[in-house]
Amino acid sequence: PDKAKFHGHTDKPDHLPGPILEVSNRIEQGEAAGIPAPVLQNIQPHKPPNLPSPQDAAERMRAEMWFQEDERKVVRGLGEGGKMVKLSGEEGKLAEEVMKKEAFNLILSDKISVNRSVPDSRDPLCKTLHYDQDLPTASVIIIFTNEAWSPLIRTIWSVINRSPPRFLKEIVLVDDFSDRAELGEKLDLYLKYRLPPLVKLVRLKERHGLIRARLAGAREAVGDVLIFLDSHCEANDMWMEPLLQRIKESRSAVLVPIIDVIDDSTLEYYHGNGRYFQVGGFTWSGHFTWIEISEKEQRRRGSPVGPTRSPTMAGGLFAIERNYFWEIGSYDDGMDVWGGENLEMSFRVWMCGGTLETIPCSRVGHIFRSFHPYTFPGNKDTHGLNTARMAEAWMDDYKRLFYLYRPELQQADYGDVSERRELRNRLQCKSFKWYLDNVYPQKFILDEDSVAFGRLRNNATKPDICFDNLQRNEKSPYNMGLYTCHSFTSSSQFMSLSKNGELRREEVCAEVPPTPGMPTQRVRMVRCHGRRGNQEWYLTQTGHVVHKPSNKCLDRAYKQSMDDVFVADCANTITQQWLFDHYNSL
Ligand code: UD2
Ligand code: MN
């Protein structure tokens, strides 16, 4: 069966975690440890009413009680500078329990100031860049459904504290029909008594799902630029200026910040080495992935902090000129709850004349959670259905590959996409082939870029065995094994020999570690590097699959277990004879 996870989740990028910083005991014990109070640049508190009525006084008391209860939990200095914190003992156990429900460490989050500082994770070169005094204004739109209190409030404060007041027009919160008690009156009162008036709250009367919730927020917004954020983010220093500057230069540029990782368990704000980051790709099964910046793009952008073209975006954090958002087709409001809208917008923007760029000097942290701590009404695979809508509207004939990887969606009821097709006509958008050729030329197209593809089978014994990913994580090196061939289409057994001589799956390629002298060697699958070398293979007329640099042959006999794939000295044996399902040419 397919590994595509029901409801899915978005993986973290491969940012390096920061150096392990010593967590000082004093901080753990809660002393202030000389940490400066955060600078709150932007607060204009509401004026208290001149003559409070008894109702007002009671309301105020209720609010203070709630807020003070929260503030009592906070340990001063904890997690400041984005440092990791590990809870121990009873509290640690409790935190682990709570994580099973919340998908992140809420116990710890409640102990960290909602105004905490984060490490400046930017490339040092960013400090040499200049931004205009006169930039468009921004509406920051934060949607949420049943988000926990402290990460939501921290997201809001991080935006207020680290955005220039003159550009931050407003923050539009959109409550997507939450039923968590604390997001009710308490949140209303927090807005009233604690937050500056530029923070607005829209309450949706029924569950919209993230796509329609963002549309509702966008309709409220009045700033020149819309900036969308998830409800568990922390904006970094000067995150907003580079986005606004680039949109001022190019109004059809849709921008993403570098998304820094906030650890779901220690709440450490990873800051890597400032320079390394990835951009967005996709898999044919319709999932977002992180990919390396192509060499061509590194040359084109000129500077490591220049706007970096990205084939797709993760989806949650992006900036777009407000009118352009509507012109270019906003979102497909037929998409439900979660998933698919990010690839839809990415393909649409590129195909219809815009650009999608990562702005390296803008950085925002995000808590990557391994599951969704909210319900999916009707328990539908909304990611699958939304992605089918996307494929039908935008992928032309390449949707064949989407359905090859997701056969169960071929007959699915994804609704009516005629409006999206009309939009595409009206905007005279280019083809998906244009997108692949021009925006994502390195994308491997299973049936076009290969000499042979399908299952890779050996029939030395019955039943036949095939290459199979054994449901292992494709990111771990020994993720290929052998398994009884499936008679149904299953992407876990897709293999191909590419025109470049790679023995590969979608993103990973077979290679043999260079250890000369060994008679047999285990084959591992790692990210394709496209430079042949130890990833080069060829097929022979006799069905051998030869690893070119070592001159060894794939062999099913020399295996410790079914789990492994080996090469051995080439010989005329049936255990070295392999067959692909399809051959394009030989
Ligand atoms: C990623 C995106 C997310 C979205 C998704 C694809 C990042 C960092 N995150 O998933 O924004 O593009 O991919 O669809 O790029 N929400 C609602 N109503 C719902 C469901 C979710 O308001 O019915 C909110 C939720 O509270 C959160 C945001 O939408 O603020 C995104 O949800 P998520 O954090 O569960 O998604 P994530 O980060 O796994
Ligand atoms: Mn998120």
Side-chain angles (χ1 to χ4, degrees):
D2 210 291
K3 154 172 171 291
K5 277 166 256 142
F6 195 55
H7 291 172
H9 70 95
T10 303
D11 284 334
K12 307 191 243 272
D14 301 330
H15 289 310
L16 314 167
I20 308 246
L21 299 168
E22 224 179 281
V23 184
S24 118
N25 279 333
R26 281 170 58 222
I27 291 181
E28 272 186 337
Q29 286 157 17
E31 287 180 34
I35 286 158
V39 189
L40 309 183
Q41 306 174 348
N42 211 13
I43 305 188
Q44 313 133 9
H46 290 262
K47 279 208 200 104
N50 290 339
L51 284 173
S53 68
Q55 286 98 313
D56 286 342
E59 180 187 272
R60 177 115 214 180
M61 268 209 354
R62 211 158 52 241
E64 285 307 321
M65 248 174 50
W66 271 325
F67 306 154
Q68 282 169 23
E69 193 185 317
D70 288 337
E71 280 151 21
R72 270 198 299 274
K73 290 187 199 158
V74 173
V75 178
R76 280 194 66 194
L78 200 71
E80 281 301 330
K83 286 204 192 100
M84 72 153 73
V85 182
K86 286 187 173 151
L87 299 178
S88 55
E90 284 303 310
E91 199 176 35
K93 276 188 214 136
L94 176 65
E96 269 171 39
E97 275 312 301
V98 171
M99 268 188 86
K100 288 182 197 152
K101 181 166 161 280
E102 301 286 347
F104 85 105
N105 193 341
L106 176 58
I107 300 291
L108 174 58
S109 175
D110 287 348
K111 294 169 71 99
I112 293 178
S113 165
V114 291
N115 273 300
R116 80 155 167 183
S117 56
V118 294
D120 182 348
S121 52
R122 290 173 300 163
D123 189 313
L125 274 181
C126 293
K127 300 218 169 103
T128 66
L129 301 182
H130 295 284
Y131 304 108
D132 295 353
Q133 287 301 304
D134 176 26
L135 289 174
T137 62
S139 293
V140 176
I141 299 173
I142 302 170
I143 56 160
F144 60 93
T145 192
N146 279 337
E147 184 64 71
W149 177 265
S150 53
L152 171 65
I153 302 300
R154 190 174 294 113
T155 307
I156 299 169
W157 280 116
S158 81
V159 170
I160 297 171
N161 293 337
R162 288 189 279 272
S163 308
R166 65 183 184 288
F167 303 138
L168 180 60
K169 182 82 179 172
E170 59 185 348
I171 298 178
V172 180
L173 306 176
V174 182
D175 172 12
D176 187 10
F177 202 55
S178 305
D179 52 17
R180 258 179 124 111
E182 58 191 354
L183 299 175
E185 191 197 6
K186 180 178 169 189
L187 183 60
D188 291 332
L189 297 183
Y190 197 82
L191 259 87
K192 183 163 175 189
Y193 292 115
R194 288 290 161 102
L195 290 169
L198 61 79
V199 184
K200 293 158 194 158
L201 173 60
V202 178
R203 302 266 196 196
L204 301 178
K205 301 271 181 300
E206 57 182 14
R207 182 77 177 277
H208 278 45
L210 75 87
I211 294 100
R212 289 188 295 266
R214 283 198 195 126
L215 283 167
R219 279 192 286 267
E220 287 299 314
V222 296
D224 304 319
V225 171
L226 308 177
I227 306 184
F228 294 93
L229 296 180
D230 276 7
S231 45
H232 31 263
C233 289
E234 289 176 74
N236 208 308
D237 296 335
M238 291 186 74
W239 73 292
M240 188 182 270
E241 293 91 326
L243 300 174
L244 300 179
Q245 180 76 42
R246 178 66 184 143
I247 284 180
K248 184 180 174 187
E249 287 158 11
S250 169
R251 84 177 271 273
S252 61
V254 177
L255 309 176
V256 290
I258 294 182
I259 308 180
D260 284 326
V261 174
I262 302 172
D263 193 278
D264 53 350
S265 154
T266 65
L267 296 186
E268 176 183 6
Y269 187 111
Y270 293 1
H271 51 97
N273 65 4
R275 182 149 299 176
Y276 174 77
F277 66 95
Q278 293 169 305
V279 294
F282 69 89
T283 65
W284 291 111
S285 63
H287 292 93
F288 170 83
T289 52
W290 295 102
I291 60 167
E292 306 304 319
I293 305 164
S294 72
E295 278 164 29
K296 188 170 165 226
E297 177 55 20
Q298 297 195 25
R299 284 192 301 275
R300 191 207 59 82
R301 68 177 177 171
S303 152
V305 295
T308 304
R309 290 184 182 173
S310 182
T312 74
M313 65 169 160
L317 289 58
F318 67 98
I320 184 168
E321 206 257 0
R322 178 164 52 88
N323 295 323
Y324 189 65
F325 175 75
W326 297 108
E327 274 168 47
I328 194 81
S330 60
Y331 273 125
D332 174 1
D333 66 4
M335 291 188 175
D336 264 334
V337 187
W338 182 90
E341 93 296 344
N342 47 353
L343 297 189
E344 195 267 351
M345 179 171 274
S346 306
F347 297 162
R348 173 162 46 83
V349 163
W350 277 117
M351 288 162 64
C352 307
T355 60
L356 181 57
E357 305 168 1
T358 301
I359 301 298
C361 293
S362 174
R363 305 189 67 133
V364 178
H366 170 262
I367 305 176
F368 288 84
R369 305 182 291 197
S370 54
F371 62 91
H372 302 287
Y374 45 75
T375 58
F376 280 66
N379 207 28
K380 286 192 187 149
D381 174 15
T382 63
H383 179 278
L385 293 169
N386 294 347
T387 307
R389 291 182 67 83
M390 180 283 286
E392 291 292 335
W394 299 100
M395 288 177 77
D396 304 329
D397 186 39
Y398 290 89
K399 71 183 181 191
R400 70 180 185 274
L401 291 174
F402 171 65
Y403 290 121
L404 187 67
Y405 280 81
R406 304 295 304 275
E408 75 283 8
L409 290 168
Q410 185 107 50
Q411 306 302 330
D413 178 14
Y414 52 77
D416 178 8
V417 294
S418 53
E419 272 183 38
R420 299 310 277 176
R421 292 191 178 133
E422 275 162 33
L423 168 82
R424 187 174 162 178
N425 276 338
R426 194 166 67 242
L427 297 177
Q428 301 190 3
C429 307
K430 299 194 179 81
S431 68
F432 195 70
K433 178 157 174 44
W434 175 89
Y435 168 86
L436 289 172
D437 289 347
N438 292 279
V439 181
Y440 200 175
Q442 71 274 39
K443 180 66 197 158
F444 182 64
I445 305 168
L446 180 71
D447 54 358
E448 290 179 8
D449 298 338
S450 56
V451 174
F453 66 97
R455 293 167 299 178
L456 181 53
R457 149 204 313 265
N458 179 285
N459 55 12
T461 55
K462 287 287 163 198
D464 298 4
I465 55 163
C466 280
F467 267 63
D468 192 304
N469 77 349
L470 303 171
Q471 317 276 325
R472 291 179 191 158
N473 182 348
E474 299 252 327
K475 281 187 173 169
S476 70
Y478 293 102
N479 56 21
M480 248 359 221
L482 299 169
Y483 195 79
T484 309
C485 299
H486 294 315
S487 51
F488 51 91
T489 319
S490 162
S491 59
S492 65
Q493 296 192 341
F494 290 172
M495 284 299 293
S496 58
L497 187 81
S498 76
K499 288 181 175 161
N500 297 332
E502 294 151 322
L503 182 60
R504 70 178 289 171
R505 286 171 56 77
E506 193 168 357
E507 316 228 314
V508 291
C509 279
E511 62 176 44
V512 180
T515 43
M518 304 272 284
T520 71
Q521 273 167 275
R522 194 170 172 190
V523 174
R524 65 181 182 199
M525 303 290 289
V526 297
R527 200 183 267 269
C528 302
H529 56 49
R531 292 188 301 273
R532 295 177 187 263
N534 65 347
Q535 292 187 352
E536 187 168 5
W537 301 73
Y538 61 92
L539 305 181
T540 70
Q541 298 289 347
T542 49
H544 288 78
V545 182
V546 190
H547 181 239
K548 194 163 175 208
S550 68
N551 220 4
K552 286 189 166 25
C553 285
L554 266 193
D555 195 319
R556 67 165 283 181
Y558 293 91
K559 58 181 170 50
Q560 263 74 10
S561 75
M562 285 290 268
D563 284 1
D564 305 318
V565 182
F566 277 81
V567 287
D569 289 332
C570 298
N572 188 10
T573 152
I574 189 171
T575 62
Q576 292 188 0
Q577 283 168 20
W578 299 87
L579 211 63
F580 277 101
D581 285 331
H582 310 281
Y583 291 85
N584 284 331
S585 60
L586 240 186

